[in-house]
Amino acid sequence: MKKTELLVTPQSVAHLEQLIEAGADAFLVGEQQFGLRLAGEFTIDDIELSVTLAHAAKKKVYVAMNALYHNDRVDLLRPYMEKLAAIGVDGITFGDPAVVMVKREAGLDIPLHWNTEMTATNWFTANYWGKRGANRAVLARELSMDEIIEIKENAEVAVEVQVHGMTCMFQSKRSLLGNYFLYQDKAMEIENRANNKNMFLHDKERHNTYPIFEDLNGTHIFSPNDMCIIDELNDLLEAGIDSFKIDGVLQETTYVTKVTKLYRRAIDAYMQSPEVYNNMKNDLLTEIEEMQPDLRPLDTGFFFKETVY
């Protein structure tokens, strides 16, 4: 049985080194000019160093280029992608078809991972982009376990599934926070995600708090809970899902590193035997629950929600 890849989002090159030791197999990095909702900002020099460190440890580095590119940014794509090709990155995550066109026009040989966030919901579309150069589909977080397994059974490309972390509920290209404070005649600079991890929208009616930040790509609002299915990996592993993603956006580096170690133990235990995994999975969940931030309760996301047609 092929071992499922453990993909993590580091916050810095130093954090990436820690995650290598923790057992991560691959890393998603990038910069906000080209990628959405990254855990940290990685310049080209940072990416080059990350590739060197990762490849020395037989790990992989993928670069996020999943932003939507208006005309003012399109001309920047080819030089950036040519640099990534020269560095030797292992893949590019994209949503905008402009990335596919640039790859074709520049004659680049970089694997592409199709990721359109909430609309990556079926195997037919995944295979469509597979025929146009993508070798992986990053599935939407709003899919149930049964739907994910059905996609895997019919997909002609590799399948990536998020198993831990926040889910983005809303994005606007507008600077909603900045506009709000301007409306109130308050001069307030909105800090970027690297320096501001404690901004929340409070919903008194639902008793929820939603993490929020603003960056070059606009305003991003996240789910009130963190997804965690470390004790529910059986079906996904049996189905042969190619990659599990731990999203570390807005989390502390020590937390992400510890979570990575626990998922590494879970995957390795299942590879040893499902029985070994079943005997330890509840203890792994308990360890995560004990270190979970108070403002980030855990749930199982959409994996076990009933789909209504």
Side-chain angles (χ1 to χ4, degrees), residues 198-209:
N198 295 303
M199 295 187 69
F200 296 92
L201 290 176
H202 294 273
D203 186 338
K204 293 182 179 179
E205 182 178 341
R206 294 183 176 87
H207 305 289
N208 284 332
T209 56

Side-chain angles (χ1 to χ4, degrees), residues 38 73 89 127 195 198 207 218 252 286:
L38 294 163
R73 289 202 229 175
V89 301
N127 291 343
N195 301 317
N198 295 303
H207 305 289
E252 297 296 332
T286 299

Side-chain angles (χ1 to χ4, degrees), residues 72-111:
D72 60 335
R73 289 202 229 175
V74 169
D75 291 340
L76 302 175
L77 297 182
R78 180 164 181 166
Y80 187 68
M81 291 176 65
E82 287 175 339
K83 290 177 183 177
L84 296 179
I87 289 170
V89 301
D90 299 286
I92 289 175
T93 298
F94 80 99
D96 195 316
V99 172
V100 178
M101 296 174 66
V102 169
K103 176 189 171 179
R104 186 180 304 158
E105 292 170 359
L108 301 176
D109 186 24
I110 302 179

